[in-house]
Amino acid sequence: MEHRINPQVKQLQISGIRQFFNMVTDEKDVLSLTIGQPDFPTPDHIKDSTKAAITQNKTSYTHNAGILPLREAIAHFYREKYHVSFEPTNEVIVTVGASQALDVTLRTILSPGDEVIIPGPVYPGYEPLIRLSGATPIHVDTREHQFKLTAELIEQAITENTKCVLIPYPSNPTGASLTKKELGDIAHLIYKHRLFMIADEIYSELVYTQSHHSIGQFDIIRDQTIIINGVSKSHAMTGFRVGYILAPHWLQKHMLKVHQYNVSCASSISQQAAYEALTTGKNDAHPMRDAYQKRRDFVYQKLQELNLASYLPDGAFYYFIDVRHLQQDSFSIAIDLVKQAKVALVPGSAFSAYGEGFLRLSYAYHLDTLAEGLNRMETFLKKP
């Protein structure tokens, strides 16, 4: 019967990140710097609010779009932090993580034959969702542009089939961010070609040397813009599975139908926790961000000592390390590191063909762990 299932599903592969992580899980004494998950616990006040929600029997279905206080908190959070305005009553949807938010968005706007422009290298979760919608991802090589998808690069990739552009900044796997001017140039291009703009801003609270700029602040494309975010990275709440969509009302009402038939609503308990996170805990990310910056700087110094070229990340918690000089494919290098040095990094090929020749190192780990992992890498690189 397998031949009768959706051929798009049959062609999908498990994420290269997870494939590699699962492959090395059974290796003994391996120090892993692979997974992009905060190593901080969820703040206590959020955990307390979660317990209270259960005790108070807030365990029923909610409005399909999410409880109104949470949608109001999301709208206020974006106005205060990023100068972006969406109406909580009809322009916000609470989702089961940012991944479901992306799925709902893409299934709402895409039709078979459409094309979606995305940067390369890029997080591997976008391409499968685009293909499941019958559309085609168009990767644009950003390696010679500091891993930034610029207006010029986008314009070169636009065809008559282009439906939307997806910008995921700060970026996984590169840590790159876009400036306000760069976003403005993109906004005018999107307006000119009447395209949809999807901005995945899940790392928006983890930006170091500049404030995060959202493309949602450009009114010229307000009716074309969809913003995806959530509390997983900003509040160390990956297991709560709360994301959200900000979109103009004319589009949100159609997204809500897809969301409704997909999951009905996000977990009522997790929504209460997210409300606490975005109100009382609206600045919870700051101490985590400061710790990540110290780790970023520590890793950068060590990489420089090892003569490993890497773009200095503006945000998120990843280094994308250039290992092309080793003259092996990234998967083979990653395997050798596991077998010979007992340290695991993700091969760049997991992030599209444009990630080949790189390794992704996550610095969402304690400084002691990072130091040991880098020492093991140094031993490997200096071996005869």
Side-chain angles (χ1 to χ4, degrees):
M1 295 294 288
E2 186 177 2
H3 69 282
R4 303 191 69 181
I5 70 172
N6 184 339
Q8 291 284 4
V9 175
K10 290 176 66 176
Q11 292 174 16
L12 292 182
Q13 301 293 323
I14 299 298
S15 157
I17 303 172
R18 281 292 174 177
Q19 282 187 38
F20 191 77
F21 177 79
N22 295 338
M23 185 180 300
V24 304
T25 296
D26 294 332
E27 292 284 335
K28 292 183 178 179
D29 303 319
V30 171
L31 191 155
S32 177
L33 303 177
T34 57
I35 298 299
Q37 174 166 272
D39 67 330
F40 297 96
T42 303
D44 286 342
H45 70 97
I46 297 174
K47 291 188 285 190
D48 290 341
S49 73
T50 308
K51 298 171 190 175
I54 296 172
T55 302
Q56 295 164 13
N57 294 315
K58 295 181 178 179
T59 55
S60 303
Y61 288 125
T62 73
H63 188 291
N64 293 129
I67 59 173
L68 183 57
L70 175 54
R71 285 181 279 145
E72 290 173 337
I74 290 167
H76 184 268
F77 186 85
Y78 251 78
R79 276 196 305 272
E80 180 180 342
K81 295 270 188 175
Y82 312 128
H83 313 293
V84 173
S85 294
F86 284 90
E87 289 299 320
T89 55
N90 57 18
E91 295 187 320
V92 180
I93 302 175
V94 182
T95 61
V96 183
S99 295
Q100 196 238 343
L102 283 162
D103 187 34
V104 167
T105 298
L106 293 168
R107 284 199 285 154
T108 301
I109 68 174
L110 295 180
S111 300
D114 288 341
E115 294 176 352
V116 180
I117 295 173
I118 56 177
V122 70
Y123 171 66
Y126 304 123
E127 180 173 345
L129 296 179
I130 293 167
R131 292 195 181 280
L132 283 172
S133 297
T136 302
I138 304 298
H139 291 87
V140 174
D141 187 358
T142 64
R143 290 172 295 181
E144 302 305 318
H145 297 81
Q146 296 184 308
F147 299 116
K148 296 184 177 187
L149 186 60
T150 65
E152 181 181 3
L153 291 173
I154 292 170
E155 188 152 37
Q156 293 170 6
I158 291 174
T159 72
E160 62 181 10
N161 295 319
T162 303
K163 176 67 72 70
C164 75
V165 176
L166 195 158
I167 55 170
Y169 295 101
S171 162
N172 173 9
T174 69
S177 290
L178 299 181
T179 66
K180 186 173 182 179
K181 182 184 183 305
E182 288 166 339
L183 288 168
D185 291 342
I186 292 172
H188 282 87
L189 181 68
I190 295 299
Y191 178 77
K192 171 185 172 183
H193 289 276
R194 302 302 296 164
L195 303 176
F196 286 108
M197 164 54 61
I198 303 173
D200 182 351
E201 301 185 343
I202 193 66
Y203 292 99
S204 62
E205 284 293 280
L206 302 179
V207 177
Y208 304 117
T209 57
Q210 61 175 349
S211 299
H212 172 72
H213 296 289
S214 173
I215 201 163
Q217 67 187 288
F218 295 96
D219 290 340
I220 190 174
I221 57 166
R222 190 186 190 284
D223 268 0
Q224 299 161 243
T225 300
I226 305 118
I227 296 173
I228 308 294
N229 210 324
V231 296
S232 289
K233 312 299 185 181
S234 58
H235 291 79
M237 294 174 64
T238 53
F240 285 79
R241 308 310 304 136
V242 175
Y244 51 86
I245 303 169
L246 303 171
H249 174 55
W250 74 265
L251 180 57
Q252 187 264 15
K253 66 182 181 181
H254 296 295
M255 290 180 164
L256 190 58
K257 291 181 287 187
V258 178
H259 170 71
Q260 173 192 347
Y261 290 118
N262 183 215
V263 298
S264 293
C265 62
S267 157
S268 61
I269 301 302
S270 293
Q271 288 189 57
Q272 296 292 336
Y275 172 78
E276 174 72 13
L278 294 176
T279 53
T280 304
K282 65 182 179 181
N283 293 320
D284 280 350
H286 292 182
M288 290 187 277
R289 180 195 62 200
D290 294 343
Y292 289 136
Q293 185 167 2
K294 289 179 182 177
R295 299 173 189 183
R296 179 199 72 160
D297 295 344
F298 172 79
V299 173
Y300 187 72
Q301 181 178 349
K302 189 66 175 180
L303 292 177
Q304 294 294 100
E305 293 172 4
L306 296 176
N307 294 315
L308 290 173
S310 177
Y311 172 84
L312 181 66
D314 296 323
F317 35 61
Y318 308 104
Y319 271 98
F320 211 52
I321 305 168
D322 192 340
V323 291
R324 286 174 288 187
H325 63 287
L326 298 179
Q327 298 183 331
Q328 281 184 281
D329 64 88
S330 61
F331 187 85
S332 296
I333 296 171
I335 288 293
D336 286 346
L337 277 169
V338 169
K339 298 291 187 182
Q340 300 176 34
K342 297 298 182 181
V343 61
L345 279 68
V346 181
S349 55
F351 305 96
S352 85
Y354 296 116
E356 182 53 75
F358 294 81
L359 298 173
R360 190 193 76 173
L361 180 153
S362 168
Y363 54 91
Y365 294 89
H366 192 277
L367 276 172
D368 292 342
T369 302
L370 293 169
E372 176 61 24
L374 290 162
N375 286 339
R376 294 184 187 189
M377 287 180 63
E378 181 176 19
T379 301
F380 171 82
L381 292 168
K382 290 185 176 180
K383 72 181 188 303

